[in-house]
Amino acid sequence: MPRKVDHRERRELLADALMRLAAAEGLEKVSLRHVAAEAGVSTGMVQHYFRTKDEMMTFAYDMVTDRILERSMAASPPETPREVVRSLLLQVLPLDETRRLENHVMLAFLAYAAVKPSIASELREPAAAMRGFLADKLREAGAGHVDPERAAAGLLALVDGLGLQVLSQQYAEEQAVAALDAQLALLFGRP
Amino acid sequence: MPRKVDHRERRELLADALMRLAAAEGLEKVSLRHVAAEAGVSTGMVQHYFRTKDEMMTFAYDMVTDRILERSMAASPPETPREVVRSLLLQVLPLDETRRLENHVMLAFLAYAAVKPSIASELREPAAAMRGFLADKLREAGAGHVDPERAAAGLLALVDGLGLQVLSQQYAEEQAVAALDAQLALLFGRP
DNA sequence: ACGTTTGCAATACGACTGCAATGTATCGCG
DNA sequence: CGCGATACATTGCAGTCGTATTGCAAACGT
């Protein structure tokens, strides 16, 4: 049995347990032992697949960003640029359980990255990519009277902030969607 | 000597040490001993003024929110509603060292509150107050074509998101200010 | 067939944690 | 002048943490 395991699969199993734990009890409760218990395995196995805790953490973070991008690309049949922009931004908001989990992990990692410059740099590249993609779509949509780059950055900051407020239960999900749509209406005009 | 100490003052001294620690090394490094060391006192004294760690944490959080509100109220000579709005929102962005510290603490607490409903509820009230205040100013300014409540919520989410990105070094300070001004221009028209 | 590698379990270690208990010095008050 | 309350300091405890070490069974290469 031992030789025949998929490394990637095991690591994702453990990272999923980590996410559940982080979303339910906070990042501070994430320890090798707790992750092992949540996943129903021994702590030794966790150590086998992640040599250090930091390795486990960054793997989980990378997994989350990958999944968000993946999902954003997936659910996009040929639509107008405006619809693409909206559906992408909706993928970032915590509107269902998986996205809630992802937002929790992202938030925890952002708080961590705010203090560890090494993590912060790793985080900068995918964010810039997404901003560029958004800006292109905005240009296509021809929201002529605003700078696309700035508008893209503003939209991303907006959904980040909205996600923050939804997670901390200051704001309901529908209100967040409404706020996003209001901003899109401001940029594009009424649909 | 013992009887003649100002309780509030001592607690703020300790909370300041906590903030410095949280901003420099992350919330996870905040422990009774570290706070004591940072403040240059014994851990016993910390225990004397905060019976539990949670008590210390919530005090620090309350202190931060109080200071932000205080500062927002203070630096407001009679101005146009638009200027009031802008200066208030600028008070939230991490544009100098004290505000950077405060943003760090707020971020860490938000991540914490996303998991502890009890903290989240304590956090909801001042946020709603600020939103209401902002909405009033927007009404005064007569940005007629948008719902003031929604615009206020959107602006707060925007500065939250911008703060997040500035802290995690994805975005420079001037860019954040520019993004805010762009949004204000969108709402109010060119100054 | 067999030794090496891989997958995992169990345990031990030193550092650190929040917290309680205890001791001691200093003040206000009767 | 006492005497209780306040303001600390010191120490100890039970627990958790990340990590290193060791052990062992199963699969593979030869």
Side-chain angles (χ1 to χ4, degrees), chain B residues 5 22-23 25 29 35-37 39 45 52 61 71 78 84 97 103 107 111 116 122-123 134 143 146 153 159 162:
Chain B
V5 295
E25 316 214 46
K29 289 290 180 187
V35 169
M45 172 176 161
T52 80
Y61 174 76
R71 229 185 19 245
V84 173
E97 196 51 27
N103 263 260
L107 173 57
K116 297 255 179 185
E122 192 174 353
L123 178 149
L134 255 185
V146 291
V159 291
L162 287 174

Side-chain angles (χ1 to χ4, degrees), chain B residues 1-3 30-34 47 52-53:
Chain B
M1 200 232 282
R3 232 335 173 40
V30 170
S31 72
L32 298 184
R33 285 169 244 260
H34 283 162
Q47 282 195 109
T52 80
K53 186 186 178 180

Side-chain angles (χ1 to χ4, degrees), chain B residues 137-180:
Chain B
K137 291 298 168 189
L138 290 177
R139 249 183 296 270
E140 280 185 48
H145 51 299
V146 291
D147 173 18
E149 282 288 340
R150 219 195 277 312
L155 281 171
L156 284 174
L158 178 68
V159 291
D160 277 0
L162 287 174
L164 218 63
Q165 302 187 8
V166 169
L167 277 194
S168 57
Q169 299 160 42
Q170 300 176 38
Y171 222 52
E173 299 181 2
E174 322 87 54
Q175 289 179 297
V177 176
L180 172 59

